[in-house]
Amino acid sequence: MASKILIIGGTGYIGKFIVGASARLGHPTSALVRDTTPSDPAKAKLLAGFTSSGVKLVKGDLNDHESLVKAIKQVDVVISTVGGEKLADQTKIVAAIKEAGNVKRFLPSEFGVDVDRAHTVEPAKSMLAAKIHIRRAIEAEGIPYTFVCSNYFAGYSIPTLAQSDSFAPPPKDKLTIFGDGNVKAIFVNEDDIGTYTIKAVDDPRTLNKILHVRPESNIYTHNELITLYEQKSGKTFERIYLTEEEVLKKIKEAPFPVNLMMGINYSILLKGDTANFEIDPSFGVEATKLYPDVKYTTVEEYVSRLV
Amino acid sequence: MASKILIIGGTGYIGKFIVGASARLGHPTSALVRDTTPSDPAKAKLLAGFTSSGVKLVKGDLNDHESLVKAIKQVDVVISTVGGEKLADQTKIVAAIKEAGNVKRFLPSEFGVDVDRAHTVEPAKSMLAAKIHIRRAIEAEGIPYTFVCSNYFAGYSIPTLAQSDSFAPPPKDKLTIFGDGNVKAIFVNEDDIGTYTIKAVDDPRTLNKILHVRPESNIYTHNELITLYEQKSGKTFERIYLTEEEVLKKIKEAPFPVNLMMGINYSILLKGDTANFEIDPSFGVEATKLYPDVKYTTVEEYVSRLV
C-alpha cells in the first residue's frame, strides 16, 4: 500500500510539482491549505486542479498547532515545501509531528543544494542556515527523515541561462558569469524533482539519508550551458566574466532580495555546491541510481524546447 | 550636542547611506560589525571607508546579547538597517535596548512602505508582517521610536524602470507594468533617505511617529516614469500591461525570492501603497515639510544622470 502523504506548502513553486507527483504515483494525497475557497483566482484555479487530481484539501495553518496535528494524524508521510520566508517556521511542523507520533517519514523543505556542504555569503547564508537548523531539530527529535537535495531548478535557471539579475526569458544578449564559468552544476527539471521525491518516501534505502538528485546528462558548467543554447538557437551571447571578488562586491551592494538570488548563484555557479563533492553512502544516496526506470528530462531536451 | 548613534546592519544596502549621513551630519557614529577585519575585500573596503569618515567600528553580533547591550550602552540612538532576512531577529535588539535602559530613540529596519497600511501577498506579506511585529514589540516595551517609511529606493527602481524580473540596467526594450500603470508611487534617493533619517533622530516632532518621506517632485506613476525616461533618452519602450489577476498568478508561479520581489512591486506599483493615503498627524509626519532645507534629488535629475 502506498503511504498517505500530506504536503505543507503545496501551492508554492516546487510544492505543486510534489503534489502532482504524489497523486500521479497513486498516493492518497492531501494538501494543507489556509483557505479551501481562496478569493485569489490563480490560487483557486490551482486548488481546483488539485481536487480534480484526487488531492484532498485539508484546512489548516502552520501557526495553528491543533490543525497541524490533526492533519498529520491522518497520514504516514509529511512533506514540507514551504517557501524561503517560512523555513524557520518548520520547527512548528517538527513539534506537531512529535506530538502526533504516527509519522513514518518527514521531508522538510529543502530542494536545493546540500546545505551542510554549501558555501555562500549573506543573506543566502541565513537561508541555508534555516534549513540546517531544521535538519538538526529533526535529528534531535529522532523523526525519520529524507532530505531531498534536488540541486538547481531547471525551470528557474535554464530559460534565462542562470542569470541573477534577470528572470524573464528570453536570455539577454550579454550574460554575466560568476567566476570562470567552468564549474559544474546540476540542473533538474521540476517534474522530475516531484517524481524522485515521491519515489523516495516509502523506500528504506532513503531512510535518514540525503537524497541527491544528480542526473548524469544534466551536469553542465555555465559556459557549457550557454554554448548548448547557442548551438541550438543559432544566437551568440556576449559573456561577461566576474571574479569572485567582483561577485562578492556585487552581492554586498545589492538590495534584498536581489542579493539573496546572487548568493544562491554564487554557491551553485562559482563555488560548485551542487556537484563539488562525492556522495558518501554514510550520508547520502543518488536518485537516478535508485530509480533508473524514471526517464528524466535532460538539459538538452529542455533547451531544445525553449529555442 | 548631536546624539551618539549606533547603526546595526550598517554595511547593508541602505545601512551604508545611513552611516554616511550620520557621520556627515556630525553625530558620533558607531557601526556594529561581526568582524572588524573581514577577509571579504569588498567588505574590508567598505569598513575602511567608514573608519576614514570617523565612524567607530564596534565588534558585536545580533546573536550575542552581551555585545549588543555593551554597544548600545555607549550611545543615545540605535538605528537598525538589518536586511530582509533578519527582520524578525530585531526582537533581540528590542530586548538589549530594554536591558541597556539608556536609549532615547530606536529606529528599526523599515525604509519602505508603511507596513501598517500596505496591501500585498505572500511571501512579501510575511516580510511586512515581520516589520509590523517589531513595531508592536517596540510600542509594547515603551521604547521611544521613529519608523522611517522612505518608500521606493530610487537606486533600485529607477535604473531598470521598476521591473520585477530584471535588476541589471539598462532597462529592457519590453517593460512589464503591473496593472494600468496609472497608480502614484514615491521614489526616494538613498542618500536623501540617509539625510532625512539622521535629521529625525533628535527631533521631538518625530518622536513616536512615522516619518514618511514624500518629496513632492518624486511622485510618479509607472507610466509617467517610463515616459520621462523615454523623453530624456529618445528611446521608446513596448509596454506590456498585466491585470491584477495576471500579476497574482505570476507571483504564485515564481520561485522564491523572485515572488518576493514581485510582491513588493505589486504593493507599490499596483496597490499604490507608498502614496494611497493621507498622512494623519496622529501617526505620521512628512520629512520634506519638516526639513525644507534639504535639497533632495528629484526623479528628473536621477533619470537625467542615467540616460
Side-chain angles (χ1 to χ4, degrees):
Chain A
M1 280 289 287
S3 59
K4 284 179 264 179
I5 298 179
L6 172 72
I7 294 128
I8 301 170
T11 63
Y13 179 74
I14 196 65
K16 58 186 179 293
F17 295 99
I18 311 269
V19 170
S22 179
R24 196 174 66 239
L25 295 174
H27 290 267
T29 304
S30 350
L32 192 80
V33 294
R34 273 186 300 277
D35 188 353
T36 53
T37 54
S39 57
D40 171 356
K43 197 154 187 176
K45 204 176 161 187
L46 188 61
L47 294 190
F50 283 1
T51 307
S52 73
S53 313
V55 174
K56 191 176 152 195
L57 305 180
V58 177
K59 209 174 146 81
D61 191 312
L62 206 53
N63 296 310
D64 175 353
H65 180 69
E66 291 314 311
S67 74
L68 209 50
V69 172
K70 197 177 153 195
I72 290 170
K73 278 190 174 165
Q74 309 301 315
V75 300
D76 309 301
V77 170
V78 176
I79 304 177
S80 165
T81 52
V82 300
E85 78 288 359
K86 289 202 162 64
L87 293 170
D89 288 338
Q90 292 180 105
T91 51
K92 296 167 188 172
I93 304 177
V94 171
I97 288 174
K98 193 72 191 165
E99 182 174 327
N102 61 303
V103 168
K104 292 194 299 193
R105 196 83 65 101
F106 176 41
L107 286 67
S109 190
E110 290 253 349
F111 308 105
V113 298
D114 185 343
V115 291
D116 278 322
R117 286 160 191 87
H119 313 80
T120 190
V121 292
E122 292 294 0
K125 198 173 175 176
S126 284
M127 191 172 82
L128 301 197
K131 290 185 180 181
I132 292 172
H133 179 75
I134 296 299
R135 284 189 177 189
R136 296 299 91 82
I138 292 166
E139 291 161 354
E141 295 291 359
I143 295 168
Y145 66 82
T146 301
F147 303 142
V148 180
C149 293
S150 56
N151 297 313
Y152 212 1
F153 290 149
Y156 191 14
S157 51
I158 296 181
T160 59
L161 296 178
Q163 296 297 287
S164 298
D165 52 20
S166 179
F167 309 114
K172 300 177 299 180
D173 298 331
K174 290 183 188 188
L175 296 175
T176 303
I177 293 164
F178 284 7
D180 63 11
N182 296 326
V183 169
K184 296 282 182 195
I186 304 172
F187 301 82
V188 186
N189 177 270
E190 286 79 354
D191 265 320
D192 298 331
I193 295 173
T195 304
Y196 290 122
T197 299
I198 298 302
K199 288 256 178 199
V201 298
D202 288 334
D203 189 337
R205 296 171 298 176
T206 61
L207 178 65
N208 297 340
K209 286 279 193 296
I210 302 173
L211 178 73
H212 296 271
V213 188
R214 291 191 169 182
E216 242 176 47
S217 306
N218 288 12
I219 306 177
Y220 279 75
T221 69
H222 203 173
N223 279 323
E224 288 167 351
L225 177 68
I226 296 168
T227 300
L228 175 70
Y229 193 100
E230 287 176 335
Q231 286 166 348
K232 297 264 179 195
S233 66
K235 285 182 68 170
T236 314
F237 297 97
E238 186 184 336
R239 303 183 193 198
I240 298 160
Y241 294 88
L242 300 182
T243 64
E244 181 165 5
E245 186 174 336
E246 287 167 331
V247 171
L248 290 172
K249 185 164 183 286
K250 262 189 172 292
I251 294 174
K252 197 83 222 122
E253 288 175 352
F256 184 84
V258 182
N259 50 6
L260 174 59
M261 194 56 237
M262 288 177 173
I264 296 168
N265 278 343
Y266 170 76
S267 160
I268 295 177
L269 298 171
L270 194 147
K271 290 295 189 181
D273 284 336
T274 58
N276 63 7
F277 61 93
E278 295 296 315
I279 301 167
D280 186 300
S282 68
F283 64 76
V285 288
E286 201 283 313
T288 66
K289 289 200 180 64
L290 294 186
Y291 316 111
D293 51 311
V294 175
K295 207 205 145 305
Y296 63 80
T297 300
T298 66
V299 168
E300 196 168 343
E301 288 163 349
Y302 206 105
V303 171
S304 298
R305 268 189 246 147
L306 285 176
V307 297
Chain B
M1 281 288 288
S3 60
K4 285 179 264 181
I5 298 178
L6 172 72
I7 293 128
I8 301 171
T11 63
Y13 179 74
I14 196 66
K16 57 186 181 294
F17 295 100
I18 311 269
V19 170
S22 179
R24 194 174 67 240
L25 295 173
H27 290 268
T29 304
S30 348
L32 192 80
V33 293
R34 273 187 300 276
D35 188 354
T36 54
T37 53
S39 57
D40 171 357
K43 195 154 188 176
K45 205 177 161 187
L46 187 62
L47 294 189
F50 282 1
T51 307
S52 73
S53 314
V55 174
K56 192 176 152 196
L57 305 180
V58 177
K59 208 174 146 83
D61 191 310
L62 205 54
N63 297 309
D64 175 353
H65 180 68
E66 291 313 311
S67 73
L68 208 50
V69 172
K70 198 177 154 196
I72 289 170
K73 278 191 174 164
Q74 310 300 314
V75 300
D76 309 302
V77 170
V78 177
I79 303 177
S80 167
T81 53
V82 299
E85 79 288 359
K86 288 199 163 64
L87 293 170
D89 288 338
Q90 292 180 105
T91 49
K92 295 167 188 173
I93 304 177
V94 172
I97 287 174
K98 194 72 190 164
E99 182 173 329
N102 60 304
V103 168
K104 293 195 296 192
R105 195 82 65 101
F106 175 42
L107 287 68
S109 191
E110 289 255 348
F111 308 105
V113 298
D114 185 342
V115 291
D116 278 323
R117 286 161 191 86
H119 313 79
T120 189
V121 292
E122 294 293 2
K125 198 172 176 177
S126 284
M127 190 172 81
L128 302 196
K131 291 186 180 181
I132 291 171
H133 180 74
I134 296 300
R135 284 189 177 190
R136 296 297 92 80
I138 292 167
E139 291 161 354
E141 294 291 359
I143 296 168
Y145 65 84
T146 302
F147 303 142
V148 180
C149 293
S150 56
N151 298 315
Y152 212 0
F153 291 149
Y156 190 16
S157 52
I158 297 182
T160 59
L161 297 178
Q163 295 299 286
S164 298
D165 53 19
S166 179
F167 309 113
K172 300 177 298 178
D173 298 330
K174 290 182 189 189
L175 297 176
T176 303
I177 293 165
F178 284 8
D180 64 9
N182 296 326
V183 168
K184 296 282 183 195
I186 304 173
F187 301 80
V188 187
N189 178 270
E190 287 79 353
D191 265 319
D192 298 330
I193 295 173
T195 304
Y196 288 121
T197 300
I198 298 303
K199 288 258 178 197
V201 298
D202 289 335
D203 188 336
R205 297 172 296 175
T206 61
L207 179 64
N208 297 339
K209 286 278 193 298
I210 301 172
L211 179 72
H212 295 272
V213 188
R214 290 190 170 183
E216 242 176 46
S217 305
N218 288 11
I219 306 178
Y220 280 74
T221 69
H222 202 173
N223 279 323
E224 288 167 352
L225 176 69
I226 296 168
T227 300
L228 175 70
Y229 193 101
E230 286 176 335
Q231 286 166 349
K232 297 262 179 197
S233 67
K235 284 182 68 169
T236 313
F237 298 96
E238 186 185 337
R239 304 183 193 196
I240 298 159
Y241 294 89
L242 300 182
T243 64
E244 181 165 5
E245 185 174 336
E246 287 168 333
V247 172
L248 291 172
K249 185 165 184 287
K250 262 189 174 294
I251 294 174
K252 197 82 224 123
E253 287 174 353
F256 185 86
V258 181
N259 51 5
L260 175 58
M261 194 55 238
M262 288 177 174
I264 296 168
N265 279 343
Y266 170 76
S267 160
I268 296 177
L269 299 171
L270 194 147
K271 290 296 189 181
D273 284 337
T274 59
N276 63 7
F277 61 94
E278 294 297 316
I279 301 167
D280 186 301
S282 68
F283 65 77
V285 288
E286 200 283 313
T288 66
K289 290 200 178 66
L290 294 186
Y291 316 112
D293 52 312
V294 175
K295 207 205 144 305
Y296 64 81
T297 301
T298 65
V299 168
E300 196 168 344
E301 288 163 351
Y302 205 105
V303 171
S304 297
R305 269 190 245 145
L306 284 176
V307 295

